[in-house]
Amino acid sequence: MTAMRPLLARPVPAALFILVAVVLDQVIKYLVEIWLPFQEAVPVIPYLALYRTWNEGVAFSFLSGMSGWAIVGMRLLIVGFILWWWRSASQTGALMHLGFAMIVAGAIGNIVDRFIYGHVVDYVLFHTETWSFAVFNLADSLITVGAVIVGFSELFLQRGAPRDAS
């Protein structure tokens, strides 16, 4: 008896998950752009505020001096690598496939920003009176949480699991 493939190991459910995540990311960013004041904190709860700003680079403004097209090209290469890795991981657990789908959705969401706005729209700010974390968005969260899931799955859940010999 063969085991069923995880849902997100199948192309159609994975593509639908990615599409829904990208659409949700873009709808939120559109609402942020039309409703939130620019670079002005709007408190939500203590230590959390909405704060609209633009990120010209990647990963918390890293490489902000780099050409926008070079950043898009780099992101496309990363998405290509993740898709290749995802395809080769077809027999792994459902959690790992969720992580891959989240990474791809987040990367596509930030690539779409580059084409629509010319920069990435960030809007979530964690802070204290004397410190603040870099401002981020849903796409960034998907990438980060997806990478943690994939890493956790690779390190702890896939150890000792039989690998496909093909």
Side-chain angles (χ1 to χ4, degrees):
M1 184 171 176
T2 60
M4 281 187 51
R5 286 176 55 196
L7 183 64
L8 292 177
R10 301 172 193 165
V12 172
L16 286 174
F17 176 90
I18 291 167
L19 179 66
V20 167
V22 170
V23 167
L24 181 62
D25 175 63
Q26 291 304 307
V27 166
I28 291 169
K29 288 173 180 171
Y30 173 75
L31 293 173
V32 163
E33 281 291 296
I34 64 170
W35 290 104
L36 279 181
F38 189 68
Q39 294 188 341
E40 185 179 318
V42 177
V44 177
I45 59 174
Y47 310 113
L48 174 66
L50 296 177
Y51 183 88
R52 178 172 68 116
T53 191
W54 298 334
N55 182 343
E56 301 291 336
V58 295
F60 314 117
S61 294
F62 181 66
L63 303 177
S64 59
M66 191 177 207
S67 156
W69 291 109
I71 291 172
V72 167
M74 184 176 63
R75 284 185 175 144
L76 289 172
L77 286 172
I78 292 167
V79 169
F81 171 75
I82 294 298
L83 290 172
W84 170 81
W85 187 10
W86 189 1
R87 190 174 185 290
S88 68
S90 63
Q91 298 303 317
T92 59
L95 196 58
M96 191 163 198
H97 291 284
L98 173 62
F100 284 131
M102 291 172 75
I103 293 168
V104 170
I108 290 171
N110 282 340
I111 289 169
V112 169
D113 276 14
R114 272 282 172 193
F115 286 107
I116 293 176
Y117 305 107
H119 52 262
V120 173
V121 177
D122 288 333
Y123 53 86
V124 178
L125 173 66
F126 286 110
H127 65 91
T128 66
E129 289 181 21
T130 59
W131 171 88
S132 65
F133 187 72
V135 184
F136 60 97
N137 60 42
L138 177 60
D140 297 333
S141 299
L142 288 168
I143 292 167
T144 302
V145 172
V148 168
I149 289 171
V150 169
F152 179 83
S153 184
E154 273 289 321
L155 290 173
F156 301 111
L157 300 180
Q158 299 305 314
R159 297 282 164 138
R163 297 281 183 173
D164 188 15
S166 57

